[in-house]
Structure formats: C-alpha cells, structure tokens
Amino acid sequence: MRVLTMVGTDHHPFHRLVRWVDEWSRRFPADDCMIQYGTSMPPRHARGLAYVEPGELNTWMDQAQVLVCHGGPTTIVEARRLGRRPIVVPRRARWGEHVDDHQYLFTNRLAQTGQVLTATTQHEFEILLDAALADPAMVRRGDTDDERQTEATVQRFGSLVAGLFQA
C-alpha cells in the first residue's frame, strides 16, 4: 500500500483528516490508500477500517510508502520506530477533535526538529503527500543525536499519559 492513514482510537471523531485523505484518494484512484478512521465517518473513495489489530497495523505501517496520522504520541513513536517520518495532522479542540490542543503543541515541537512533517490546512497536506510520494526519502527517519534524545522524551511522555489514564 502506498498511503496509510491512522486517526487512532480516541473517541473524538477526526472527520477533517479522513475527508482530506479521502478527497486526495478520489483524485488519485490508482494510488492504494487505506484509512483507519476510528469513530469518524468512513471514507467513500479510499479503503477503510474503523479499527485494526495492533499487529496488523504494524505490518501495514511497515509496508506503506507514506504514513499519515493524527498527533498522538504513541502513533508517532511507532512510526518513528519503524524508520518513518510521518505526515501529521494534529487534532484541534476548537473543532471537537480532542479535549485540548496538546497534539498541536506536541507536533509543532517535533516538526521544529524535523521528526515529523505537519499540515494544518488541506492544501498543505496535499502538497506534503504529493511530495512524499514523489520523493520517499523525505518520509524516512534520520538518526541525529537530537532526534534520539527527543525520541526518548516522546516515549517517556507517552508512558506518563498512559499512566494517567490507568490511574
């Protein structure tokens, strides 16, 4: 598969990202596109599943040419672990996509160090996706010391958040 999109498992729908990817898929039907859409409306043009077992999702992530995802730390860490630099569209509270804007703040920080590519508009998203498909090297992970240090911070943040939800 060429493009895998993941909105994660949060109960808030992420219609905006699903719509952007689905619209892109409508214009480029020859490109194989799968969307894990969670509680969002299912795609009309791309293939889609609401939820995917973790093992199967990891296999798909490993096989996809481009990974597109929400700004969830766990999803980003997993993409990075697989050697990828994902295109990230952070969820926004003002559109009912999450309770606050932590994904927006988090992904902006990662984008500043080149660990993710971010898009906040559909136009930016389409430019990034087209460029990533034309040049797969732009969505491969680098291994700078700064990235390794931030990677450890991201993993620690994910563990802290998971611990809060378990408590």
Side-chain angles (χ1 to χ4, degrees):
M1 122 187 24
R2 289 184 45 132
V3 179
L4 173 62
T5 301
M6 301 159 289
V7 303
T9 58
D10 188 83
H11 71 276
H12 296 89
F14 199 7
H15 302 303
R16 181 170 53 111
L17 179 56
V18 172
R19 188 177 62 248
W20 290 0
V21 177
D22 200 38
E23 175 61 24
W24 181 89
S25 183
R26 182 189 62 78
R27 290 194 330 275
F28 300 99
D31 283 308
D32 186 19
C33 186
M34 172 62 84
I35 302 173
Q36 178 271 311
Y37 58 87
T39 61
S40 305
M41 294 294 294
R44 296 183 332 191
H45 307 287
R47 293 184 299 139
L49 286 172
Y51 299 101
V52 182
E53 292 297 322
E56 185 174 9
L57 186 61
N58 282 345
T59 299
W60 289 359
M61 290 174 73
D62 194 42
Q63 294 172 353
Q65 182 176 346
V66 177
L67 299 178
V68 175
C69 64
H70 68 127
T74 301
T75 305
I76 292 171
V77 166
E78 191 59 24
R80 303 273 308 146
R81 186 187 69 76
L82 292 170
R84 306 304 184 79
R85 179 172 21 176
I87 297 173
V88 179
V89 177
R91 293 170 178 264
R92 298 302 305 261
R94 67 180 168 206
W95 295 312
E97 298 167 347
H98 220 306
V99 296
D100 60 27
D101 281 334
H102 73 277
Q103 286 194 1
Y104 180 76
L105 299 170
F106 177 68
T107 58
N108 279 343
R109 174 68 179 114
L110 294 180
Q112 289 172 1
T113 60
Q115 296 176 70
V116 300
L117 302 168
T118 59
T120 57
T121 68
Q122 185 173 357
H123 182 70
E124 289 173 349
F125 170 75
E126 290 172 353
I127 288 171
L128 280 175
L129 184 53
D130 291 342
L133 287 167
D135 180 12
M138 78 180 269
V139 289
R140 292 290 176 194
R141 176 180 143 173
D143 276 329
T144 66
D145 287 338
D146 186 44
E147 285 185 341
R148 282 190 294 276
Q149 181 180 5
T150 302
E151 187 76 19
T153 302
V154 169
Q155 289 178 358
R156 176 74 177 131
F157 175 78
S159 296
L160 290 172
V161 170
L164 289 173
F165 283 108
Q166 290 173 353

